[in-house]
Amino acid sequence: MSRVAPQPDTRSDEDYQSDILVHVSRTFALTIPELPPGLRDTVTCAYLLCRIADTIEDEPALAADTKVHYLAQFSRVVGGAGDAAELAAEPTPQLSDRTLAHERDLVANIARVVSSVRRMDRREQAAIRRCIEIMCDGMHHFQRNASLRGLNRLVDLDSYCYHVAGVVGEMLTDLFCAQLPDVQQHAAELRRLAPSFGQGLQMTNILKDMWEDRSRGACWLPRELFERRGVSLEQLPVWQHSQGYRDSLQELVGTAHGHLRNALAYTLLIPPARAGIRRFCLWSIGLALLTLRRINDNPRFTAGAQVKVSRRAVMLVRTLSNVSTRSDRMLTVLFGYAARGLPLIAQSGARGRPEPTAHGEADAQAAHGG
């Protein structure tokens, strides 16, 4: 019985990236098309590169040292050194069924994504390369040290959020400024707020997914915050109904809320005429706020699905954001309405790039000025 040879893929690299995006991120597949035409392909490429790094790091079949090797090689390839196709040929056969098929396909096609970086202008290339370098370095550090003991201190949570999300906010800001002179006028303040924007979104995800993360042996909550109230993260289910647990959770919700207020300030710095970029930001902020509301109203939740925002709420966020996009006043009022009842701990903007510290090393490094 003869076998039919697979048909060659005749899509352009840009078409491939657009097609695969839908399968690896429903959220970005919705928001990226809102960006101005010149930014859509650039941001799609940038996101897919981040997703490749995340896929390699999350693959359970790869040993820790192997992940370090592949992430370092990936960072070099994005930086213009090394062969992308050769790199893709190494990890792809080792990816297990625990990695989604489309994510395995994305890793196999690293060259089709990296090719777009090499056609960008120098500012865009620099922004993407910096992001991938910092992300690959910090992401693996934290994943390698993940345990049910949680992160050591609040500052370690800041550092983790920076390496997996804040640096992405900085990259997006640099990409916006590289293409749009009217956004570039606000570059300094946008860069100050960008890490806080990323941290607000990441903290919301950490809280929503905390029980699923525990099932994989990881906890990203800061141990010092809970121990201050007599709660052990290693035995968290035992403490879930205690006042100390609820108070600690509320403090984290309030902190995330403070960062999301900075995210709104970031969005309002984008000129109203750039409605697509505003929508790109607003949809994420609105969904994060509603998620925090659900967490705050149901602190005893035991699965992310219990605090997940409904499809109806998603549509409402999109509709209200769209009709209010150009009005700073209306957006501020809507944010206040969505955030009603949430605890609030105000946050400053960027405090500089935090350095990753291992669970057991944090206090020692702090004592030595680390």
Side-chain angles (χ1 to χ4, degrees):
M1 180 174 168
S2 61
R3 299 180 62 182
V4 178
Q7 296 296 312
D9 190 340
T10 58
R11 291 173 295 176
S12 68
D13 291 346
E14 287 72 19
D15 285 344
Y16 167 79
Q17 292 173 43
S18 179
D19 291 343
I20 198 73
L21 177 67
V22 179
H23 299 290
V24 297
S25 176
R26 285 179 292 182
T27 299
F28 277 97
L30 286 173
T31 58
I32 287 177
E34 297 299 313
L35 294 172
L39 273 170
R40 288 174 200 161
D41 288 345
T42 304
V43 173
T44 295
C45 172
Y47 169 76
L48 292 177
L49 291 170
C50 294
R51 192 55 183 263
I52 290 169
D54 194 48
T55 299
I56 293 172
E57 181 53 54
D58 286 345
E59 173 51 60
L62 295 177
D65 290 346
T66 303
K67 291 179 181 181
V68 170
H69 170 72
Y70 287 147
L71 288 173
Q73 290 297 104
F74 178 60
S75 182
R76 288 183 67 251
V77 165
V78 175
D83 186 279
E86 287 183 9
L87 170 61
E90 293 186 49
T92 300
Q94 302 178 58
L95 299 178
S96 69
D97 290 341
R98 295 279 296 276
T99 295
L100 298 176
H102 287 105
E103 292 174 341
R104 297 198 300 269
D105 182 80
L106 181 59
V107 173
N109 285 280
I110 289 174
R112 302 195 73 173
V113 185
V114 172
S115 66
S116 294
V117 179
R118 293 170 180 171
R119 293 193 292 270
M120 296 176 189
D121 73 27
R122 286 187 298 173
R123 287 182 64 186
E124 293 169 334
Q125 289 186 34
I128 290 173
R129 289 170 175 173
R130 174 183 179 272
C131 175
I132 296 300
E133 180 181 355
I134 292 173
M135 178 179 286
C136 286
D137 177 57
M139 180 194 306
H140 181 75
H141 172 91
F142 284 103
Q143 292 286 350
R144 182 182 59 201
N145 290 285
S147 77
L148 295 182
R149 297 180 67 238
L151 297 171
N152 194 12
R153 305 172 299 168
L154 282 165
V155 70
D156 296 315
L157 176 61
D158 289 344
S159 183
Y160 174 68
C161 289
Y162 175 80
H163 284 87
V164 300
V167 69
V168 178
E170 291 176 338
M171 174 187 68
L172 289 171
T173 300
D174 288 341
L175 295 179
F176 296 161
C177 291
Q179 292 198 19
L180 306 171
D182 54 343
V183 177
Q184 170 66 33
Q185 294 176 11
H186 305 282
E189 187 64 6
L190 288 169
R191 289 194 181 102
R192 185 183 74 83
L193 293 169
S196 187
F197 193 155
Q199 179 151 351
L201 299 180
Q202 185 64 27
M203 283 189 69
T204 302
N205 286 333
I206 287 172
L207 294 173
K208 176 175 68 70
D209 297 333
M210 57 187 286
W211 296 107
E212 286 75 13
D213 288 336
R214 286 187 69 83
S215 71
R216 294 188 289 268
C219 177
W220 307 114
L221 303 177
R223 191 164 64 253
E224 70 168 355
L225 181 68
F226 287 81
E227 287 183 345
R228 187 190 309 155
R229 298 181 173 97
V231 176
S232 167
L233 288 178
E234 290 179 278
Q235 300 176 324
L236 197 57
V238 175
W239 295 95
Q240 192 184 3
H241 299 291
S242 71
Q243 188 63 44
Y245 169 80
R246 290 194 294 273
D247 289 346
S248 299
L249 193 66
Q250 272 213 325
E251 183 170 336
L252 291 174
V253 168
T255 301
H257 177 194
H259 284 298
L260 291 179
R261 285 189 175 271
N262 286 344
L264 177 66
Y266 177 102
T267 305
L268 298 184
L269 285 170
I270 303 294
R274 300 295 182 183
I277 299 180
R278 282 192 165 201
R279 285 193 294 270
F280 175 85
C281 299
L282 289 168
W283 293 357
S284 298
I285 296 170
L287 294 177
L289 266 182
L290 294 185
T291 301
L292 287 180
R293 283 276 303 277
R294 292 182 65 85
I295 292 170
N296 194 61
D297 293 343
N298 182 22
R300 295 181 179 178
F301 77 98
T302 56
Q306 296 170 10
V307 292
K308 185 178 179 181
V309 176
S310 68
R311 290 185 178 182
R312 181 179 178 183
V314 172
M315 291 303 300
L316 183 62
V317 166
R318 291 178 63 180
T319 301
L320 292 177
S321 298
N322 290 351
V323 299
S324 309
T325 299
R326 298 175 186 270
S327 170
D328 291 2
R329 181 176 178 276
M330 287 184 66
L331 290 174
T332 302
V333 169
L334 282 173
F335 184 101
Y337 180 77
R340 68 193 187 284
L342 284 178
L344 173 63
I345 300 176
Q347 302 295 314
S348 62
R351 294 187 294 275
R353 174 185 169 187
E355 293 299 328
T357 56
H359 295 272
E361 298 169 351
D363 289 332
Q365 290 195 14
H368 289 84

